[in-house]
Amino acid sequence: MPTYIALLSWTDQGAQNYKDTAKRAETFGSALQQLGAKLLSIYWTIGPYDVVAVVEAPDDETATAALMQLGGVGSVRSTTLRAFGREEVERIIAKAAG
């Protein structure tokens, strides 16, 4: 399944409710499962992003729907990256090399 890295920044609402962040992460994991995706790992970070989540989803549409749901709650804004594993990038390089 494709992997996505979500860089999450707390909104004012999310920062005010920082004590609920672990519970919100659990809820996000459950919501992903309902969509057929999976929360592989989550990290709380110092720097320009407050949380980094690594997610597996069957396709871009599912990943986007999950992150739209997350953003709709109002606690975070996301920047999402599609990540490629070693085997995937080797296939990409083979295609590029002709």
Side-chain angles (χ1 to χ4, degrees), residues 7 11 14-16 22 30-31 40 44 49 52 54 61 74-75 83 92 97-98:
L7 307 172
T11 61
Q16 289 171 358
S30 296
L40 297 179
W44 285 262
Y49 300 100
V52 175
V54 181
E61 291 83 5
S75 295
I92 293 166

Side-chain angles (χ1 to χ4, degrees), residues 57-69:
D59 50 50
D60 291 346
E61 291 83 5
T62 302
T64 302
L67 290 159
M68 284 179 154
Q69 284 182 351

Side-chain angles (χ1 to χ4, degrees), residues 5 13 30 33 41 43 48 51 59 62 65 67-68 70 74 78 88-89 95:
I5 298 170
Q13 174 184 319
S30 296
Q33 285 182 340
S41 55
Y43 302 95
V51 181
D59 50 50
T62 302
L67 290 159
M68 284 179 154
L70 177 65
S78 67
E88 290 173 301
V89 82
K95 284 182 181 183

Side-chain angles (χ1 to χ4, degrees), residues 1 25-41 54-58 62-63 65-67 69:
M1 257 199 287
E26 186 178 313
T27 301
F28 177 51
S30 296
L32 284 169
Q33 285 182 340
Q34 290 178 11
L35 292 172
K38 182 178 181 184
L39 180 60
L40 297 179
S41 55
V54 181
V55 173
E56 259 186 358
T62 302
L67 290 159
Q69 284 182 351

Side-chain angles (χ1 to χ4, degrees), residues 1-3 82-94:
M1 257 199 287
T3 302
R82 168 65 166 90
F84 297 92
R86 182 185 180 112
E87 289 180 14
E88 290 173 301
V89 82
E90 287 176 346
R91 288 193 303 268
I92 293 166
I93 290 168

